[in-house]
Amino acid sequence: MERLERQLGKEERDLQILDAVIHNGPIGIVKLSQETDIPQHKVRYSLRMLENDELIEATPQGAIPVDDIADRVEEINAGIDSLVSRLDALSGDDA
């Protein structure tokens, strides 16, 4: 259970960083850390993961969202909704 909680925390942090890049990009590590109150080393890691997932791009001015970010966010939201439904089914909730 602890491993799942840690992973969820990481994903939550990545989404928080992605949101900040979408709304404030181009934005660098220091500014992201200040805006999100996340330590710089964790911001750096999240940026790397988001770039690997092709959600952001690194530029000399800072991170920016990819051109089709609206479509990508829609896919992420659909995936989250699907996971919530699966978790509800596992727990026996019908809500």
Side-chain angles (χ1 to χ4, degrees), residues 13-37:
R13 182 180 72 231
D14 290 353
L15 290 173
Q16 188 177 0
I17 296 294
L18 178 60
D19 186 62
V21 170
I22 290 169
H23 290 97
N24 302 305
I27 188 168
I29 292 170
V30 173
K31 185 71 170 170
L32 276 167
S33 179
Q34 293 169 345
E35 293 285 324
T36 61
D37 203 29

Side-chain angles (χ1 to χ4, degrees), residues 4-94:
L4 180 58
E5 287 179 12
R6 281 193 310 271
Q7 184 63 31
L8 225 78
K10 188 196 91 49
E11 297 299 333
E12 182 180 20
R13 182 180 72 231
D14 290 353
L15 290 173
Q16 188 177 0
I17 296 294
L18 178 60
D19 186 62
V21 170
I22 290 169
H23 290 97
N24 302 305
I27 188 168
I29 292 170
V30 173
K31 185 71 170 170
L32 276 167
S33 179
Q34 293 169 345
E35 293 285 324
T36 61
D37 203 29
I38 296 172
Q40 289 182 28
H41 70 281
K42 290 185 177 188
V43 168
R44 188 175 293 109
Y45 180 81
S46 288
L47 288 173
R48 189 175 318 121
M49 295 299 100
L50 293 167
E51 189 173 6
N52 288 344
D53 290 340
E54 299 178 347
L55 296 169
I56 65 165
E57 297 175 5
T59 71
Q61 296 79 27
I64 60 170
V66 295
D67 289 336
D68 65 341
I69 193 63
D71 295 334
R72 300 294 197 88
V73 168
E74 195 173 305
E75 289 173 19
I76 291 168
N77 288 336
I80 290 170
D81 290 344
S82 175
L83 287 173
V84 167
S85 294
R86 288 175 63 188
L87 288 171
D88 284 346
L90 286 172
S91 69
D93 283 350
D94 290 332

